[in-house]
Amino acid sequence: MRQSATQLASSSIVVPKNNLDNSIKSDCRGRPRSEESEEAILAATIQLLSEKPLRDISMEEIARKAGVGKATIYKWWPSRAYVALDAFLRKTTQMVPTPDTGSVRKDVLEQLRSVMVFYKSPAGRIMGQFVAESQSDKEFADLFRERFLKPRREAIGVIFDRGVERGEIDQNFDRELVLDMIYGSAIYRMIVRHAPLEVKVADEVVSILFGGLDNRSSEKASIADKTARKHSVSRGKAKRQYI
């Protein structure tokens, strides 16, 4: 029988602090983590999630595949949902780093290309099952946003902030909306599958978006706006001729 996130997670939860540059560490109960055991647990969880949904995976199975005792996992994570989200965050961070090339456009392009490649991989497709689970389980959805989406958006938000600081992006743009526009296409194609999830799409997305995002393109935008208004007036005159 399907379990909700409330059942997946215990009532006494200590949320760990995510470190995206190193491994996932936490202020949990018990002794400090063994890095070797932690790596084995997270790797085993990712492998299992690549084979079947979270609801079909038990802590016993994770422990057996990782070669550790179940009690070891419970020292550091209160439930399999926590293990799964931390494992996926670790894998995402490894495969989708946050570049710093000195150009916001190049940074976004490099990372979006990495995102496209990642979402096509067995590990990346786990994102789809987490999104699906979030639609029917509010508790899991909250957990998903807090333990995966929030730290990932903070990481990629650094790219946007650097662009604003360097004057490459207009500071008046809505940061969260821009991030949605940049990375939403990859997630949409991965889930809906209406079109191929190809790396070249990243180049097209960046080319289209930065025509409007680039703070130095205000003159181009003004010209485009005037052209659009001119065409609108012409269409209006043509329409009146046929009335």
Side-chain angles (χ1 to χ4, degrees):
M1 184 174 65
R2 182 175 175 181
Q3 293 175 291
S4 68
T6 303
Q7 293 169 306
L8 291 175
S10 69
S11 59
S12 58
I13 295 171
V14 180
V15 179
K17 298 176 181 178
N18 291 305
N19 184 330
L20 298 182
D21 296 321
N22 301 300
S23 60
I24 306 296
K25 301 298 182 183
S26 69
D27 303 325
C28 289
R29 301 157 292 182
R31 295 172 297 176
R33 297 189 188 188
S34 158
E35 291 187 6
E36 185 178 346
S37 294
E38 178 185 4
E39 183 62 38
I41 292 166
L42 296 178
T45 304
I46 282 293
Q47 187 173 344
L48 288 169
L49 285 168
S50 299
E51 301 167 358
K52 51 188 175 181
L54 177 60
R55 70 177 73 98
D56 294 336
I57 299 172
S58 66
M59 288 291 244
E60 290 83 358
E61 194 173 8
I62 295 173
R64 184 167 58 250
K65 197 168 193 64
V68 301
K70 187 171 68 170
T72 299
I73 303 179
Y74 276 116
K75 287 178 184 175
W76 306 326
W77 292 279
S79 77
R80 60 184 175 178
Y82 276 75
V83 186
L85 289 169
D86 278 2
F88 189 60
L89 176 60
R90 165 84 73 86
K91 192 67 176 179
T92 304
T93 302
Q94 291 172 342
M95 294 189 67
V96 188
T98 304
D100 185 4
T101 64
S103 162
V104 67
R105 183 169 183 151
K106 290 180 180 178
D107 288 348
V108 169
L109 181 57
E110 282 192 16
Q111 193 179 67
L112 192 52
R113 284 172 175 170
S114 298
V115 167
M116 297 287 187
V117 171
F118 178 56
Y119 284 159
K120 290 176 67 176
S121 71
R125 285 193 287 272
I126 294 170
M127 178 74 163
Q129 73 162 278
F130 285 168
V131 171
E133 187 74 14
S134 297
Q135 302 312 299
S136 57
D137 189 330
K138 182 182 182 302
E139 289 82 10
F140 183 83
D142 292 340
L143 201 60
F144 178 55
R145 283 192 293 270
E146 182 64 27
R147 293 187 72 82
F148 177 76
L149 288 181
K150 184 178 178 180
R152 278 308 301 168
R153 288 180 76 86
E154 286 174 352
I156 62 179
V158 169
I159 294 177
F160 179 92
D161 295 340
R162 285 198 304 249
V164 172
E165 290 172 4
R166 291 194 296 250
E168 297 174 88
I169 295 178
D170 190 327
Q171 63 180 352
N172 295 313
F173 281 122
D174 185 324
R175 182 178 187 259
E176 298 306 308
L177 180 58
V178 170
L179 296 182
D180 287 345
M181 293 172 68
I182 293 172
Y183 299 97
S185 57
I187 298 175
Y188 187 68
R189 290 196 174 206
M190 176 195 65
I191 295 174
V192 179
R193 299 183 181 181
H194 67 294
L197 185 62
E198 300 175 341
V199 174
K200 67 178 183 180
V201 173
D203 298 70
E204 295 175 11
V205 168
V206 170
S207 178
I208 293 170
L209 284 178
F210 274 85
L213 285 178
D214 195 329
N215 196 34
R216 294 162 295 187
S217 64
S218 56
E219 185 176 344
K220 296 179 185 177
S222 177
I223 293 173
D225 184 53
K226 289 178 181 178
T227 302
R229 287 200 300 270
K230 181 179 179 181
H231 286 184
S232 178
V233 171
S234 298
R235 286 195 300 270
K237 290 180 177 179
K239 184 177 180 180
R240 284 196 295 272
Q241 290 177 359
Y242 290 96
I243 296 177

